[in-house]
Amino acid sequence: AAALADVTVQQAARVLDDLLDTHLLRQPQPDRYQFHDLLFVYARQVCTDQQPEPLRRDAITRLFDHYRYTTTAAMDLLYPFESSDHRPRPAQPHTPVLAPTSRSDAATWLDAELANLLAVAIHAADRGWPTYTIHLSRTLHRHLLTRARLSDAETLHTRTITTAREVADHPGELDALCGLGAVHRLRGQYESATDCYQQALHI
């Protein structure tokens, strides 16, 4: 919320509390907020009608920057053996970041945000933010395999391969091919895995 609105965490917390008190948001668990379905549709329509497209895009970019940076910080804590030579290193966004500070916090955050992170990756691919899709594919790969989220990994890497090819990001395509190859290998689909690895080797 702070990243979307470009305000401090304290300001965002006050706004969220006000919206909660007036029943415009609900809180299914501590620190997790959701719109009611009809209010979500209405709020999205009002935003589209009243906010210029550049402002909406800036807000979403801030949100994506927040997710990209915090995901990398969480992965660095949870899988430190992989951080130095594989994951991209995003700059810290100018909006507030409450990054995890321990391995348990990192695991909790990644598991809680995984559905959002996957949705961000697909939205970014579809709406002209290809670097975010490629970044999340490279960054989340180890966690998706560790959590046996093979279908999610397959969806993410497959979409990333297409996106990377569209923007001629060969390193991004290579990493996504290797990620998809690993998914096929773990499923025992060795011909598909070999095909992915051969394409990666060609790059």
Side-chain angles (χ1 to χ4, degrees), residues 102-152:
S102 69
R103 293 192 69 188
S104 61
D105 286 347
T108 298
W109 187 88
L110 284 166
D111 289 337
E113 294 291 345
L114 196 52
N116 288 331
L117 296 172
L118 294 169
V120 163
I122 299 304
H123 185 91
D126 292 341
R127 305 294 177 87
W129 284 277
T131 57
Y132 294 93
T133 303
I134 295 166
H135 177 108
L136 288 172
S137 174
R138 294 175 68 187
T139 305
L140 285 172
H141 173 70
R142 178 64 53 198
H143 190 66
L144 291 171
L145 295 193
T146 301
R147 291 295 194 259
R149 300 286 292 265
L150 298 185
S151 293
D152 289 330

Side-chain angles (χ1 to χ4, degrees), residues 157 176-186 189 192-194 196-197:
H157 295 321
L177 282 165
C178 288
L180 184 58
V183 171
H184 289 315
R185 179 176 54 79
L186 289 170
Q189 300 166 340
S192 296
T194 300
C196 288
Y197 290 139

Side-chain angles (χ1 to χ4, degrees), residues 9-195:
V9 171
Q10 292 75 18
Q11 289 171 319
R14 285 196 295 272
V15 171
L16 290 170
D17 285 342
D18 289 344
L19 293 172
L20 192 64
D21 289 343
T22 54
H23 306 289
L24 294 175
L25 288 179
R26 58 192 181 94
Q27 191 175 29
Q29 54 185 318
D31 297 326
R32 309 295 293 184
Y33 298 88
Q34 293 177 339
F35 280 106
H36 300 279
D37 289 344
L38 290 177
L39 284 174
F40 169 74
V41 173
Y42 174 72
R44 182 169 59 182
Q45 188 61 51
V46 168
C47 182
T48 302
D49 292 344
Q50 297 184 7
Q51 296 294 324
E53 195 275 338
L55 288 182
R56 298 198 307 271
R57 190 171 180 89
D58 286 348
I60 294 174
T61 300
R62 290 193 302 270
L63 178 67
F64 287 1
D65 285 339
H66 163 77
Y67 272 131
R68 179 168 62 172
Y69 179 84
T70 309
T71 300
T72 301
M75 290 292 293
D76 286 348
L77 285 168
L78 203 53
Y79 307 97
F81 55 86
E82 193 180 53
S83 62
S84 61
D85 62 352
H86 183 72
R87 285 191 288 276
R89 315 309 305 171
Q92 181 167 344
H94 75 274
T95 54
V97 174
L98 299 175
T101 57
S102 69
R103 293 192 69 188
S104 61
D105 286 347
T108 298
W109 187 88
L110 284 166
D111 289 337
E113 294 291 345
L114 196 52
N116 288 331
L117 296 172
L118 294 169
V120 163
I122 299 304
H123 185 91
D126 292 341
R127 305 294 177 87
W129 284 277
T131 57
Y132 294 93
T133 303
I134 295 166
H135 177 108
L136 288 172
S137 174
R138 294 175 68 187
T139 305
L140 285 172
H141 173 70
R142 178 64 53 198
H143 190 66
L144 291 171
L145 295 193
T146 301
R147 291 295 194 259
R149 300 286 292 265
L150 298 185
S151 293
D152 289 330
E154 180 180 17
T155 298
L156 176 58
H157 295 321
T158 299
R159 189 67 183 87
T160 301
I161 291 167
T162 302
T163 301
R165 287 172 177 165
E166 289 171 351
V167 296
D169 185 332
H170 301 303
E173 180 186 355
L174 186 151
D175 279 340
L177 282 165
C178 288
L180 184 58
V183 171
H184 289 315
R185 179 176 54 79
L186 289 170
R187 287 174 165 168
Q189 300 166 340
Y190 300 120
E191 289 186 7
S192 296
T194 300
D195 178 61

